[in-house]
């Protein structure tokens, strides 16, 4: 079965500093990988996704993520964090249709941005 | 255009009561998903509809939980004899089609704002 681990429950960075949020997944085949952001009281918004091809994917709001099959990782990065990036971030893995058609989420990482 | 909407946004009920949570997907989306997000956790899959039928209900925790989508659009998640442990945010998502097919296109899931259920 698929699973996702986000090792960091909370991360605090200074505004303007770089950011990396870690995500490790477990899945036997080629995964679909996603990063979502959730602000308080808001729904989940897709930041970026990896389906196939180039392992470095660009997303919205200046985020990027790199798929590393050898490390089973899909870490999210941003070179310069803005105060508005404070939110909770979820990594998720999706399976091809015959395995269930659902997303499996990690427990999330809460990002705090200090000025 | 309009996104996924969920009503009510908040629901407070007493232990043992019955509740219904509604999801209005994006028009034309054939796939609909329910997830449950407990405090401090990521969303957990409950059930997936393709059209009117429940294609995968493996995430429903027990037989107190049931969901329907009679006309292939609006869906209702029904919880009988609610328990305090049912307190969570219930998220609905819709997609143009199923998540993906081998070698085929990927269909993004669009999430609604959720219904926060509190069982006293």
């Amino acid at each position: 079965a698929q699973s996702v681990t986000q090792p960091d429950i909370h991360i605090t960075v200074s505004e303007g500093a770089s950011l990396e949020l870690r995500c490790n997944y477990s899945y036997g085949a080629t995964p679909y990988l996603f990063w979502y952001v959730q602000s308080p009281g808001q729904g989940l918004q897709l930041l970026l996704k990896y389906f196939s091809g180039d392992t470095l994917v660009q997303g919205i709001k200046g985020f990027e993520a790199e798929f590393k099959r050898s490390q089973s990782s899909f870490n999210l990065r941003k070179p310069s964090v803005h105060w508005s990036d404070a939110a909770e971030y979820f990594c998720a893995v999706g399976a091809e249709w015959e395995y269930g058609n659902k997303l499996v989420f990690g427990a999330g990482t809460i990002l705090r941005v200090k000025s | 255009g309009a996104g996924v909407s969920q009503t009510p946004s908040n629901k407070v009920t007493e232990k043992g009561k019955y509740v219904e949570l509604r999801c209005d997907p994006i028009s034309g989306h054939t796939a609909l998903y329910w997830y449950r997000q407990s405090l401090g956790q990521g969303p957990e899959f409950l059930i997936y509809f393709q059209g009117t039928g429940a294609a995968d209900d493996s995430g429903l925790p027990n037989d107190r939980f049931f969901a329907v989508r009679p006309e292939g659009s609006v869906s209702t998640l029904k919880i009988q004899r609610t328990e305090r442990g049912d307190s969570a945010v219930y998220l609905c998502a819709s997609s143009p089609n199923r998540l993906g097919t081998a070698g085929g296109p990927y269909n993004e899931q669009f999430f609604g704002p959720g219904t926060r259920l509190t069982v006293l």
Side-chain angles (χ1 to χ4, degrees), chain A residues 32 34 36 38 41-46 49 51 88 90 93-108, chain B residues 33 35 37 40-45 48 56 58 91 97-106 108-109 111-114:
Chain A
Y32 301 161
F34 311 86
Y36 284 85
Q38 186 177 42
Q42 303 296 314
L44 291 164
Q45 181 182 23
L46 181 67
K49 61 184 182 287
F51 179 68
E88 189 161 17
F90 293 94
V93 61
E96 293 182 3
W97 71 270
E98 63 264 36
Y99 293 108
N101 248 282
K102 56 183 177 281
L103 296 179
V104 176
F105 287 84
Chain B
Y33 306 78
Y35 293 82
Q37 186 175 15
Q41 300 296 318
E44 294 178 294
F45 170 79
Y48 152 60
D56 181 357
S58 62
L91 297 169
N97 204 330
R98 57 192 183 208
L99 181 66
T101 59
Y106 156 73
E108 178 179 344
Q109 294 184 19
F111 283 82

Side-chain angles (χ1 to χ4, degrees), chain B residues 14-116:
Chain B
E14 293 179 344
K15 181 176 178 294
K17 299 291 188 182
Y18 167 83
V19 297
E20 291 189 350
L21 312 179
R22 176 187 169 106
C23 172
D24 281 85
I26 293 172
S27 177
H29 281 191
T30 61
L32 186 145
Y33 306 78
W34 283 98
Y35 293 82
R36 178 169 71 173
Q37 186 175 15
S38 300
L39 191 64
Q41 300 296 318
E44 294 178 294
F45 170 79
L46 294 177
I47 187 169
Y48 152 60
F49 286 90
Q50 185 63 31
T52 60
D56 181 357
D57 64 357
S58 62
L60 294 178
N62 51 59
D63 61 5
R64 294 187 298 105
F65 288 75
F66 189 71
V68 295
R69 195 186 185 199
E71 298 178 355
S73 178
V74 170
S75 177
T76 304
L77 178 66
K78 308 180 181 193
I79 310 174
Q80 299 177 321
R81 305 182 305 279
T82 52
E83 299 177 357
R84 292 192 180 88
D86 299 334
S87 296
V89 175
Y90 289 82
L91 297 169
C92 176
S94 72
S95 175
N97 204 330
R98 57 192 183 208
L99 181 66
T101 59
Y106 156 73
N107 290 292
E108 178 179 344
Q109 294 184 19
F110 295 85
F111 283 82
T115 293
R116 181 176 298 278

